[in-house]
Amino acid sequence: MSLFEDLIRAKIAELEELKKNLLVDIETRIRREAYALLNKFTGQITSVESEVTLERERIIYEALVNSRRKIAETYENLLKDLIDAVYSEIDKIRGTERYVKFLTFLIQNAINYIQSRDVIIYTSPKDRGVVEAIARSLGITGLISERDMRGGVVVTSRDGGVTVDYSLETIVANKLEELKHLLYLGIQ
């Protein structure tokens, strides 16, 4: 063999070795870059997933708040309708024996509480005649005066020291929580 052939074989062996190392180096670099990109995109994907989760939770919370607000509005509207129906029913039965007994009961309770028959009775203009008749039958002395109210009576001692408010507005306001409870039970 000649020197030239030996040199060529040595160079070919070096090139073969360089080729093997070059492939390993290239594969290693490609893997490093691929892992770096994968880690970068994994972080971005995780960030996007977190943002999506947060947005989903925000949307669910907002929908829950809106649904509860709408339910509360519906209850309030139903309660208002119920109260309006009570006032409407009072207007329908005004002047009936049942309503006269109701007013008589209220006035008797008020004068018993005040412990005097010398009182001022405030009533709705619609109920004035009935209240005057009840006052006469109960032997009440004092004044009967009209007041802007839906029905019922407000009875005051002559000196104004004691007042018993049996107006329909006050009776309904005092029963409001009970009405809400009944309304909510009826809906569920």
Side-chain angles (χ1 to χ4, degrees):
M1 285 215 199
S2 73
L3 179 65
F4 182 69
E5 287 179 357
D6 285 341
L7 286 174
I8 289 179
R9 278 191 200 136
K11 287 297 175 191
I12 288 174
E14 282 179 30
L15 288 174
E16 290 283 331
E17 188 64 30
L18 183 63
K19 179 178 151 185
K20 278 188 205 175
N21 289 338
L22 187 61
L23 286 175
V24 169
D25 286 347
I26 290 173
E27 282 182 14
T28 303
R29 271 192 245 141
I30 289 173
R31 279 196 175 125
R32 267 192 238 130
E33 288 176 12
Y35 285 131
L37 286 173
L38 185 61
N39 287 336
K40 176 184 171 187
F41 289 125
T42 300
Q44 289 176 346
I45 289 169
T46 302
S47 175
V48 168
E49 286 175 341
S50 294
E51 288 176 24
V52 167
T53 300
L54 285 174
E55 182 64 12
R56 188 183 97 237
E57 293 299 320
R58 186 194 64 76
I59 290 169
I60 290 170
Y61 177 76
E62 189 175 291
L64 180 64
V65 168
N66 284 337
S67 68
R68 287 186 177 164
R69 181 182 45 78
K70 286 181 182 178
I71 289 170
E73 287 172 1
T74 301
Y75 280 149
E76 288 302 316
N77 288 336
L78 288 172
L79 185 61
K80 182 186 174 300
D81 291 346
L82 178 63
I83 291 168
D84 289 344
V86 167
Y87 289 142
S88 176
E89 191 61 30
I90 292 295
D91 284 340
K92 287 179 189 174
I93 66 167
R94 197 178 298 277
T96 65
E97 182 181 339
R98 184 175 180 197
Y99 188 69
V100 171
K101 284 182 181 179
F102 171 71
L103 288 175
T104 303
F105 174 78
L106 296 179
I107 294 169
Q108 282 178 327
N109 277 350
I111 60 174
N112 289 342
Y113 182 80
I114 295 172
Q115 297 180 351
S116 173
R117 293 194 180 279
D118 187 23
V119 294
I120 301 169
I121 301 175
Y122 297 96
T123 186
S124 163
K126 294 177 182 178
D127 293 334
R128 183 176 182 127
V130 172
V131 170
E132 286 174 343
I134 294 169
R136 274 191 307 275
S137 73
L138 294 175
I140 295 174
T141 58
L143 301 172
I144 297 178
S145 184
E146 292 179 3
R147 185 181 272 184
D148 185 23
M149 50 200 278
R150 305 288 297 252
V153 293
V154 175
V155 182
T156 309
S157 63
R158 272 294 190 155
D159 64 3
V162 181
T163 299
V164 178
D165 187 348
Y166 284 142
S167 65
L168 287 182
E169 292 88 336
T170 301
I171 293 170
V172 168
N174 289 338
K175 293 290 187 179
L176 200 56
E177 287 305 313
E178 187 177 332
L179 287 173
K180 284 181 182 179
H181 182 72
L182 290 172
L183 178 66
Y184 297 156
L185 284 178
I187 291 174
Q188 295 177 0

